[in-house]
Structures are given as structure tokens and as C-alpha cells.
Amino acid sequence: MTIAKSDLLFDVKRTNAGKIKIKVWNKSQIATVGTFVALLLLTVYGFLTLDYKDVSIIEATSATLHNVKVMFLQPAFSHFSLGEAVYQLSVTMGLALLATMLGAIISLFIALFAAKNLSTKAVSNAIIVVIAFVRAVPTVLWVLIFAIAAGLGSEAAIIGMSLHTVAFLVKAYAESFEELDDGILEALRASGANWWHIVTNAVLPSTASSLLSWTFLRFETNFTVAVAMGAAAGAGGIGFELFMASGFYFDLREVGFITYAILIVAIGLELLSTHLKTRYLRSESAK
Amino acid sequence: MDIAVFQKKKQHMTIFLIIVIGITLISAKITDFSFVHGVQTLPKAFSWMASNLFITEQSLTKMPSIMDKLIETIFLSITATTTASVLALLLALMGSHTTKVNNFFGSLSRIVASVYRNIPIVAWALILLLSFGQNALTGYFALFLATFGFLTRAFIETIDETSSSSVEALRATGATYFQVVAKAVIPECLPQMISWVLYMIETNIRSSTLVGILTGTGIGFAFDLYYKSMNYNVVCLITISIVVVVIGIELISNYVRRVIL
């Protein structure tokens, strides 16, 4: 059998001089380089137009470094005790937990209708659009908007945070549901199971572990959000103490102490969350 | 399967549920949250939103100043993200299993990334506020530091996932460390990394609203100003313009991601 010369030359591109082109531009590479250049230009332009308000960068940076040194090397508490710090941390945790719980319960129901394989196309798309809108509004704005109607406090913070949690979890849950094997659904449908049977006997049991790990991942995020809500919306907790210590008392040592407290909890949650993720999500995808 | 297995599973499930409900009730007690009141405020909140949050002609006159602030915020998050990504790339190269120089730097960079990422952006903003004052730079550095931690982690995972075999191949041909990084790691991970950077820009626009409220810069400042002066029509306009920008950037980055990945 002979091989025609044209077969060997298949999709080899040559320059005018007859050299083989090693680098062939395709759409993806053009887009990559284009994005790269666009970001570079925007960054340069951004730096040129940034409103610096005559602040001396070198002075301010060295002052910050000094502040950071005081904060992290000499943390101390003056306005409250260790016990109170633990209490305030638990308030922040409580805010995060309640927002996650409420969000998770609501999301579970909405996600069933948002998953393309369990719902109709129109319903699913409608939910996705609404969710995208809710997600695009920053959490703090939701909290502040609810604060006008519900009054400042834990209710506004929790409802605002859970709204954002719903927007995140519906997407995550729906994607978990969509990964479900079509064969299982088909088999159940063929055996005469109704929608509700399918959900309780096939969908929920087989996605439970990945739902759990997504929820915990969101809890981790909500903890950070809850710190921010304490500071910005006066919902209490460790974030509010941080705001007071830095903005009102200018007590750097206390700021350092509070930051350490937040850091310890956050890293603890992160370790737990990675553990859950590697244990449940990876093994799911490996199957 | 044995019936005992199911019983045991049911038992575990019940215990799990009881623990979850217990923790929820305790949290509600600590945070002084009443479920009944919370649910009751919902219709109130929505009817308030419907009757107050709409755009009037008068609020549209504020549009130019809002646009200014919005553009400031957009550029702030783009510059913070791109500059942080450069630093994050260097640290990620040290921290990744496939490209690390030695174990010491490997663990060090992972620890640094974890610390930076877990200090909430609010803490950074408040710390920087002390010496930078109410300045765009406060927002910039707060976003920079938080982004830096997150991107380092994301880049480490990207490098670990995508480039082990090509790195091995290049090493076998006797390539130096810099050749390996420039010819195998960067080209293979670039699309993934750009996708992370785009995701982070989108996130940072949302966070810079929060940072803006605390540090008095950008769109967050404008929101806070009109919120406190109870000019809710302008508040609505600002919220909607933020939504438009965030969704716009999300659509652009989704498109780019689809093309490059």
C-alpha cells in the first residue's frame, strides 16, 4: 500500500518560504491573547486615572506596614475579654449558620425546578435569570435594603445573606442534580414513578453528599460575609467589634487580636471544608 | 442488602438532623433571631421595595456622577485583580507540587496564601483605612490583598491539575526550570488562569461596593451617601447599575471562557 504525498501533508500549514508553521493561530488562542492585552491596557489606564488624592504612597505604605507590625506582633484586648471575643465570634457564626440553613432549605426546593433534567425548559430558564439578578446585587446592598423594612439587626442581616446564599446554592445544587445519570431517571419513569418519587428516591439520596459539601462551602463563605455585615450593617458579632476597634478607638492591638480570632475560625472552617470536599466531591467524580 | 444497613443509615440521618436543628436553635438564640418575625418582615420588605425602589426622572439626573463612581469602581477592581494575579502567579509557581523549588518554599507559599485569603476583605479595608485615609488606594490595596490570596490558591490548583505530564516530558529532555515554566506551565495554564482572573474581577466589583461603603470610595460611597440621606430612588438606580455591570462582565467572561477553554 502506498501513501499518497497529499495524505502526509494533511493540515500542515506552511509559510510563503515553505517552512512548516509550528504555531497556528486558532480562535481560542486569539481570544486568550486578546483578553490578556485588553486586561493589560485597562490596568495601565486604570492606574493613570485612579484618584490618588495627593496621598504619599511611600509614607502611607510604611505607616501601614508599621500598623500591621503592631497589630500582628503585639495583639492585645483592651475593650473586651477573651470570653466576650468567643461570644462575639459565636454570634457571627450564628448569623452565618442561620443564613446558610435558611438558604439551603429554600434552595433545595428551587433547585429541583431549576435543574434541566427534572423540570421544564421554560421554568428552569426563568429561575436561572432571576437567580443571576439576585446574585449580581452585592450582599451588603440586600442587607441594607432589608434593614430599612425590617430594622437594623440580625433579621435584616440573615434575610439579606440567605437571599444571596439561595442565589449561589440553587446554581450549585441544580448542577449537582444535572450530573445525575439519565438512565436512573428513565428507569424510574418507566416503572411508573411520579416526579415526587423520583426526587425522594433517586435524586436526593444520590446527590446528598455533594449537596452537603456545597452547603458547607457556602457556610465558610457566609462566615466571612457575616463578619462584613457586622461591620457595614451593624448586625453585631466580631465584625462590628472590628469596626469599632479600628474606626472609633484606633486601637491597633485590639484590631490585631480580633483579626487573629477571625483568622483562626476561618482557617479551621477552610480545613474542614477541604476535608469534606476531597472526601465527598472527588469520590463522586471519580466514580 | 441487609435491612440492618438501612436501619443504621436511618439512625445516622436522624442523629444528623437532630444535631443540625439543635445548632440552628442555639444560633437563633445567640443572634437574637426570631423565625416568626423574620418571616413576617418578608412581605413587608417586598412591599416596601415595590413602593420605594423605583427610578424617577429626578434620580436620573444623578446618572453622570453615578457613572463616574461606577467607572472608578470597575477600574479599581480590574487593576487590583490583574496586579494581584502577577504576584499570585509567582507564589503559585513556588507552591505547586509540579513546579516547586523546594518543600520549604512550597509550604510557605501555601500558608501565606491561606492567611491572606482568610482575613476578610473588611479587615484589610479597616486596617488600610488607618494610614491611607478615605482614598481609592485603600480600596485598591484591600482588593489586591484579598485577591492575591484567592488567586494564589486557584493558580496552585490549576498548575497541579493541568501540567504535570508536559512538565515531566520537558524535564526529561533536559530543560531548565525557567524553560519548563515558560514553555509548558504558562501556555497550558493560561486559559484557566485568565478565566480565574475574569471571575475575580466580577467578584471584586461586588466586594468593592462593600469596601467602598467602609472606606468612602467609588460606587459604595455613592450608595452609602444616598442610603443615609434616604434618597431611595437614587439607591435603586445605583443598585441597578451595579447589577447591569456585574451581569455584563459575567456575560463577557462567560463568552471568553467558552472560547478559550
Side-chain angles (χ1 to χ4, degrees), chain B residues 10-256:
Chain B
K10 212 170 177 180
Q11 234 172 31
H12 280 292
M13 198 64 200
T14 323
I15 292 170
F16 177 73
L17 274 181
I18 289 173
I19 291 175
V20 166
I21 291 171
I23 293 175
T24 312
L25 290 179
I26 293 171
S27 326
K29 184 110 185 66
I30 293 177
T31 55
D32 197 21
F33 175 77
S34 116
F35 285 97
V36 180
H37 185 220
V39 172
Q40 273 171 354
T41 53
L42 266 183
K44 215 170 87 192
F46 281 113
S47 67
W48 179 87
M49 277 158 77
S51 57
N52 281 287
L53 288 182
F54 52 82
I55 302 167
T56 57
E57 295 238 340
Q58 186 256 333
S59 62
L60 277 177
T61 56
K62 301 268 192 274
M63 199 62 197
S65 74
I66 292 172
M67 284 305 288
D68 266 4
K69 294 282 182 198
L70 198 60
I71 287 170
E72 189 187 337
T73 300
I74 295 171
F75 273 112
L76 210 62
S77 51
I78 291 178
T79 48
T81 314
T82 47
T83 42
S85 70
V86 175
L87 205 64
L89 178 61
L90 294 180
L91 207 68
L93 284 174
M94 290 202 298
S96 160
H97 284 302
T98 42
T99 57
K100 70 182 166 199
V101 190
N102 58 35
N103 280 330
F104 173 72
F105 280 114
S107 327
L108 186 72
S109 79
R110 273 165 196 266
I111 291 171
V112 168
S114 181
V115 167
Y116 272 88
R117 196 156 53 100
N118 279 314
I119 296 180
I121 196 159
V122 180
W124 286 124
L126 292 175
I127 294 163
L128 290 160
L129 195 59
L130 292 172
S131 42
F132 279 92
Q134 292 209 336
N135 190 302
L137 278 177
T138 316
Y140 169 79
F141 280 116
L143 290 177
F144 177 89
L145 291 168
T147 311
F148 162 69
F150 182 88
L151 281 183
T152 306
R153 179 65 198 254
F155 285 179
I156 287 177
E157 304 229 323
T158 310
I159 296 174
D160 276 350
E161 260 169 41
T162 46
S163 56
S164 59
S165 53
S166 57
V167 167
E168 206 181 326
L170 271 188
R171 280 226 178 99
T173 64
T176 63
Y177 179 77
F178 289 102
Q179 284 168 337
V180 169
V181 169
K183 294 292 169 191
V185 177
I186 305 276
E188 281 208 17
C189 302
L190 197 61
Q192 277 280 348
M193 284 174 178
I194 284 186
S195 139
W196 276 118
V197 168
L198 290 174
Y199 167 75
M200 215 49 215
I201 289 175
E202 188 193 312
T203 317
N204 274 347
I205 287 187
R206 256 176 274 147
S207 340
S208 62
T209 316
L210 172 67
V211 172
I213 288 176
L214 292 172
T215 62
T217 51
I219 195 75
F221 172 69
F223 181 89
D224 206 33
L225 188 73
Y226 292 111
Y227 178 80
K228 282 189 178 140
S229 60
M230 297 197 278
N231 194 342
Y232 296 125
N233 297 336
V234 183
V235 165
C236 177
L237 184 66
I238 294 175
T239 310
I240 287 178
S241 46
I242 295 173
V243 170
V244 169
V245 169
V246 170
I247 289 183
I249 291 184
E250 202 180 328
L251 289 178
I252 295 173
S253 59
N254 277 350
Y255 172 77
V256 172

Side-chain angles (χ1 to χ4, degrees), chain A residues 44-115:
Chain A
V44 173
Y45 181 76
F47 270 119
L48 293 178
T49 53
L50 215 60
D51 179 15
Y52 295 104
K53 282 187 192 150
D54 305 325
V55 77
S56 158
I57 296 181
I58 297 165
E59 246 173 61
T61 312
S62 71
T64 307
L65 287 179
H66 176 76
N67 286 348
V68 169
K69 201 178 80 194
V70 173
M71 271 172 47
F72 286 107
L73 298 182
Q74 308 158 334
F77 37 87
S78 43
H79 289 93
F80 56 80
S81 59
L82 188 66
E84 210 171 329
V86 173
Y87 174 72
Q88 295 293 359
L89 269 176
S90 68
V91 169
T92 306
M93 286 267 249
L95 290 175
L97 196 100
L98 284 173
T100 317
M101 289 304 278
L102 279 179
I105 294 167
I106 299 167
S107 308
L108 196 59
F109 287 102
I110 302 179
L112 289 173
F113 293 98

